[in-house]
Amino acid sequence: MSDESRLLAGVLLLSLVTVETGGLYLLRIVRGTAPVTAFQEKFARAGHAHAAVLLLLGLVCLLYVDATSLDGAAGWLARSGVPASALLLPGGFFFSSMGAGRETANPRFFWMVPAGGLLLAISLATLGVALLVA
């Protein structure tokens, strides 16, 4: 495993601990001890699920990036794009639903959701093509 991938893997594993603590917030929502709207509950669930899945996918991608000859910007995109989308997508869900009684997404932050999805798609396509032509 390359040094870049090893270091990023360590950061991603530690980041999963923060996702785990976010699960405690979801437990409060489910138990009814956190006052949220139905919209906020849905966005909290979506943000939490996307964070966990994308961090795990990012860990898997690190192994595949090291199996390619990608370097430079394409290497960075394939190695770091999925973890970066694990910040953007969930961040968009969380930040756009913040605020007492919110019933709709705050557009000042919701842009992060499609941006994270686009970054995820580009990163996965870059890595997928690199693996096919390797």
Side-chain angles (χ1 to χ4, degrees), residues 9-37:
V11 169
L12 295 180
L13 287 168
L14 292 173
S15 297
L16 280 167
V17 175
T18 65
V19 174
E20 194 176 12
T21 59
L24 295 174
Y25 176 64
L26 277 179
L27 281 176
R28 288 184 53 224
I29 290 174
V30 170
R31 290 182 177 152
T33 59
V36 296
T37 65

Side-chain angles (χ1 to χ4, degrees), residues 4-110:
E4 295 90 351
S5 291
R6 181 182 52 79
L7 290 172
L8 186 52
V11 169
L12 295 180
L13 287 168
L14 292 173
S15 297
L16 280 167
V17 175
T18 65
V19 174
E20 194 176 12
T21 59
L24 295 174
Y25 176 64
L26 277 179
L27 281 176
R28 288 184 53 224
I29 290 174
V30 170
R31 290 182 177 152
T33 59
V36 296
T37 65
F39 161 75
Q40 289 172 318
E41 180 179 349
K42 289 176 185 172
F43 265 46
R45 288 176 185 254
H48 185 69
H50 279 85
V53 168
L54 292 175
L55 286 173
L56 291 173
L57 180 60
L59 284 166
V60 171
C61 286
L62 294 177
L63 300 173
Y64 287 117
V65 171
D66 286 346
T68 71
S69 59
L70 286 173
D71 60 358
W76 180 91
L77 186 60
R79 180 175 283 110
S80 304
V82 173
S85 72
L87 294 172
L88 278 171
L89 261 163
F93 285 119
F94 294 133
F95 292 130
S96 68
S97 65
M98 286 174 38
R102 182 167 284 285
E103 295 286 347
T104 59
N106 182 337
R108 288 182 43 205
F109 296 105
F110 189 75

